[in-house]
Amino acid sequence: MTARTVGLIWAQTPAGVIGRDNGIPWRVPEDVAHFRATTADHPVVMGRRTWDSLPARFRPLPGRRNIVVTRQPGWCAAGAESATSVPAALALAGTGTVWVIGGAEIYREALAAATDLAVTEVELAVEGDSFAPALGPEWAADDPAWQASSTGIRYRIRRYRRAER
Ligand code: NAP
Ligand code: VY7
């Protein structure tokens, strides 16, 4: 049997906010470094709105296959591959580790296929319009200590594993 890792990676507030106005309403450089290191050399799957949210100079995310999920049959962008569903995107990614990098719609749809979650909690009370998916009791998390970012924002990076089914 082929061991396959389908990871979801996001950063959220304690209230579950992950985005606002098609952006992330904070900047925590230690989290961005964690995101870059975790996804390095692996395909990343994202929703079309998250692709649009990346500044043009960071598109595609370098060193990774960028797979964009869209319902638009003719959608294309330089440096991106496209797929018309989450399962099709995961199939296109092949058999190694793949990271699903957002946004809210895509996390909800990919959660059923996920084996691992990397969730950064940032201790901020900010309003948002995009939220992390609700997690059921099948997800077991570690309990790392809170850290202080160079920005002063407290954060911690939690790992979730799905219990074997
Ligand atoms: P999204 O999940 O990035 O993308 C939604 C789009 O994906 C849809 O409009 C559609 O594209 C496509 N799509 C969704 N389901 C599909 C399906 N079943 N089949 C085919 N295509 C499908 O958008 P979002 O939920 O609005 O999330 C964006 C927000 O999340 C932004 O605020 C972003 O900054 C934030 N974000 C936060 C983090 C974090 O870690 N904090 C990470 C990533 C993103 P078309 O409209 O082209 O058909
Ligand atoms: C998404 C960017 C957004 C805006 C400006 C630059 C966790 C995060 C995400 C997504 C944080 C982002 C960027 C940062 C990454 C760089 C390229 C430039 C790279 C997520 N835990 N945190 N996120 N870039 N899914 N999960 O900041 O990206 O990776 O090369």
Side-chain angles (χ1 to χ4, degrees):
M1 206 185 88
T2 312
R4 203 206 180 183
T5 298
V6 177
L8 274 51
I9 184 168
W10 72 78
Q12 66 166 77
T13 73
V17 169
I18 66 161
R20 177 175 184 158
D21 298 332
N22 216 33
I24 301 174
W26 59 79
R27 197 53 62 209
V28 174
E30 294 86 353
D31 172 61
V32 174
H34 148 73
F35 169 77
R36 188 185 301 111
T38 302
T39 59
D41 302 326
H42 300 296
V44 294
V45 169
M46 74 191 92
R48 193 268 308 161
R49 288 208 282 269
T50 290
W51 169 269
D52 283 348
S53 79
L54 295 170
R57 66 185 181 284
F58 295 120
R59 286 191 324 227
L61 293 177
R64 290 148 283 187
R65 288 174 61 203
N66 284 224
I67 301 173
V68 176
V69 182
T70 174
R71 293 188 180 86
Q72 304 170 55
W75 188 90
C76 94
E81 301 167 65
S82 70
T84 56
S85 71
V86 168
L90 296 177
L92 190 59
T95 53
T97 295
V98 57
W99 285 98
V100 176
I101 66 162
E105 269 188 52
I106 295 303
Y107 291 136
R108 278 197 302 273
E109 296 176 38
L111 189 61
T115 59
D116 295 79
L117 312 177
V119 180
T120 303
E121 297 176 351
V122 295
E123 198 177 63
L124 290 172
V126 295
E127 301 289 308
D129 53 25
S130 290
F131 292 86
L135 303 182
E138 69 275 20
W139 289 104
D142 62 1
D143 189 26
W146 289 87
Q147 315 244 81
S149 161
S150 62
T151 60
I153 299 169
R154 275 159 48 90
Y155 73 99
R156 63 178 187 162
I157 300 172
R158 303 185 78 180
R159 305 284 180 166
Y160 289 75
R161 266 286 154 78
R162 182 191 281 284
E164 284 303 323
R165 286 173 300 180

